[in-house]
Amino acid sequence: MLNAKKEILKLAQNLPDNINFDDAVYDIYLKSSLIQSEDDFKNGRYTTLEESRERMRKEYEDYNVYKGS
Protein backbone atom coordinates (compact mmCIF):
# COMPACT_ATOMS: atom_id res chain seq x y z
CA MET A 1 0.00 0.00 0.00
CA LEU A 2 1.19 3.50 -0.76
CA ASN A 3 2.10 5.83 2.04
CA ALA A 4 -1.23 6.70 3.70
CA LYS A 5 -0.29 10.32 4.36
CA LYS A 6 0.59 10.87 0.70
CA GLU A 7 -2.70 9.28 -0.39
CA ILE A 8 -4.67 11.49 2.00
CA LEU A 9 -2.90 14.63 0.81
CA LYS A 10 -3.46 13.68 -2.82
CA LEU A 11 -7.14 13.08 -2.12
CA ALA A 12 -7.46 16.37 -0.19
CA GLN A 13 -5.92 18.34 -3.07
CA ASN A 14 -8.59 17.01 -5.43
CA LEU A 15 -11.56 17.82 -3.18
CA PRO A 16 -13.75 20.79 -4.12
CA ASP A 17 -13.12 24.02 -2.20
CA ASN A 18 -16.65 24.09 -0.75
CA ILE A 19 -16.60 20.58 0.78
CA ASN A 20 -17.53 20.24 4.44
CA PHE A 21 -15.49 18.30 6.98
CA ASP A 22 -17.88 15.34 7.22
CA ASP A 23 -17.85 14.80 3.45
CA ALA A 24 -14.05 15.04 3.37
CA VAL A 25 -13.74 12.43 6.13
CA TYR A 26 -16.23 10.20 4.30
CA ASP A 27 -14.17 10.46 1.09
CA ILE A 28 -11.05 9.41 3.01
CA TYR A 29 -12.96 6.50 4.57
CA LEU A 30 -14.28 5.42 1.17
CA LYS A 31 -10.80 5.56 -0.40
CA SER A 32 -9.42 3.51 2.49
CA SER A 33 -12.16 0.90 2.06
CA LEU A 34 -11.52 0.63 -1.66
CA ILE A 35 -7.78 0.19 -1.13
CA GLN A 36 -8.41 -2.52 1.48
CA SER A 37 -10.92 -4.29 -0.78
CA GLU A 38 -8.49 -4.28 -3.68
CA ASP A 39 -5.77 -5.71 -1.44
CA ASP A 40 -8.13 -8.41 -0.14
CA PHE A 41 -9.08 -9.42 -3.68
CA LYS A 42 -5.47 -9.52 -4.89
CA ASN A 43 -4.58 -11.79 -1.96
CA GLY A 44 -7.51 -14.16 -2.37
CA ARG A 45 -9.43 -12.98 0.70
CA TYR A 46 -12.92 -13.00 -0.76
CA THR A 47 -16.02 -15.16 -0.92
CA THR A 48 -17.66 -16.15 -4.18
CA LEU A 49 -21.37 -15.63 -4.67
CA GLU A 50 -21.94 -19.39 -4.57
CA GLU A 51 -20.00 -19.72 -1.28
CA SER A 52 -21.97 -16.85 0.21
CA ARG A 53 -25.31 -18.33 -0.85
CA GLU A 54 -24.39 -21.71 0.64
CA ARG A 55 -23.31 -20.11 3.91
CA MET A 56 -26.55 -18.12 4.11
CA ARG A 57 -28.64 -21.19 3.25
CA LYS A 58 -27.03 -23.18 6.07
CA GLU A 59 -27.27 -20.32 8.54
CA TYR A 60 -30.94 -19.61 7.89
CA GLU A 61 -32.36 -23.00 6.97
CA ASP A 62 -34.27 -23.14 10.27
CA TYR A 63 -36.11 -19.94 9.32
CA ASN A 64 -37.79 -21.45 6.25
CA VAL A 65 -41.45 -20.47 6.52
CA TYR A 66 -42.39 -22.94 3.77
CA LYS A 67 -41.34 -26.07 5.69
CA GLY A 68 -44.91 -26.82 6.64
CA SER A 69 -46.20 -27.76 10.05
Side-chain angles (χ1 to χ4, degrees), residues 19-45:
I19 194 166
N20 65 42
F21 187 77
D22 289 336
D23 289 342
V25 170
Y26 177 74
D27 283 2
I28 292 170
Y29 167 76
L30 183 60
K31 178 71 173 182
S32 173
S33 295
L34 291 172
I35 290 170
Q36 182 63 50
S37 296
E38 183 179 15
D39 184 61
D40 287 344
F41 185 76
K42 284 181 180 178
N43 290 297
R45 295 185 300 262

Side-chain angles (χ1 to χ4, degrees), residues 6-22:
K6 288 180 184 178
E7 279 293 316
I8 292 169
L9 291 172
K10 182 178 167 185
L11 180 64
Q13 290 173 344
N14 292 319
L15 293 174
D17 291 336
N18 63 345
I19 194 166
N20 65 42
F21 187 77
D22 289 336

